[in-house]
């Protein structure tokens, strides 16, 4: 029996076919493993023309970049790239533009670097939790 909620899931090459409940279980497990537990960015009001400030970490006050992952969860990333040799493997991310019909980038997702290790000098974006000083001080 097939559920009416079974459909292709994921943002890149549609990762798999799951029902809503099974997809949420899988995506939540991946998010916890990867540290992608940030709340989504608020949708800006289209009528508001005021400047949008970048979000800051509530623990350390540093600027963060919040991006969706390929599995529809959100991750807080550092504001600057670093060489891969300076970032431990569990904290390495890359930003990827999603293909679109136009030449204008419409969406960017965060992709965890895994499988093939990058070269030591290759730039990666560290997860903010690696850089957050209060998180390092907690037991």
């Amino acid at each position: 029996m097939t559920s009416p909620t079974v459909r292709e899931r994921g943002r890149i090459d549609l990762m798999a076919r799951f029902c809503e409940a099974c997809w949420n279980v899988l995506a939540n497990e991946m998010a916890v493993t990867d540290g992608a537990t940030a709340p989504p960015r608020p949708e800006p009001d289209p009528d508001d023309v005021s400047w949008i400030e970048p979000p800051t970490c509530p623990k350390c006050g540093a600027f963060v970049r919040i991006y969706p992952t390929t599995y529809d969860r959100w991750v807080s990333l550092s504001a600057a790239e670093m060489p891969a040799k300076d970032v431990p493997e569990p904290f390495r991310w890359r930003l990827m533009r999603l293909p679109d019909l136009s030449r204008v980038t419409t969406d960017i997702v965060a992709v965890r670097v895994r499988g093939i290790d990058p070269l030591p000098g290759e730039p990666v974006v560290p997860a903010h939790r690696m850089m957050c000083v209060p998180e390092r001080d907690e037991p």
Side-chain angles (χ1 to χ4, degrees):
M1 183 173 150
T2 323
S3 168
T5 64
V6 171
R7 66 176 178 85
E8 298 287 331
R9 307 287 177 162
R11 289 180 179 244
I12 298 175
D13 294 334
L14 301 174
M15 294 170 63
R17 291 181 58 84
F18 285 106
C19 70
E20 187 72 26
C22 294
W23 172 251
N24 282 327
V25 168
L26 175 66
N28 289 339
E29 287 175 1
M30 291 172 64
V32 169
T33 301
D34 291 345
T37 56
R41 291 183 300 225
E43 287 293 322
D45 180 6
D47 296 329
D48 186 6
V49 294
S50 62
W51 183 258
I52 298 175
E53 293 292 328
T56 57
C57 173
K59 293 181 181 178
C60 69
F63 288 121
V64 294
R65 296 187 292 176
I66 300 174
Y67 285 100
T69 64
T70 56
Y71 45 90
D72 296 325
R73 298 304 182 263
W74 296 77
V75 63
S76 293
L77 300 177
S78 172
E81 291 183 339
M82 295 175 66
K85 66 180 179 181
D86 296 335
V87 181
E89 187 273 326
F91 302 104
R92 295 177 184 162
W93 290 82
R94 284 210 174 98
L95 298 177
M96 184 175 146
R97 292 179 171 92
L98 290 182
D100 198 357
L101 298 176
S102 72
R103 293 183 184 183
V104 177
T105 301
T106 57
D107 203 7
I108 296 175
V109 295
V111 179
R112 268 269 288 116
V113 177
R114 47 176 76 141
I116 299 174
D117 286 335
L119 295 172
E122 210 172 326
V124 295
V125 182
H128 175 69
R129 63 191 176 115
M130 180 192 110
M131 310 293 282
C132 190
V133 176
E135 279 203 12
R136 281 194 241 149
D137 294 340
E138 293 177 5

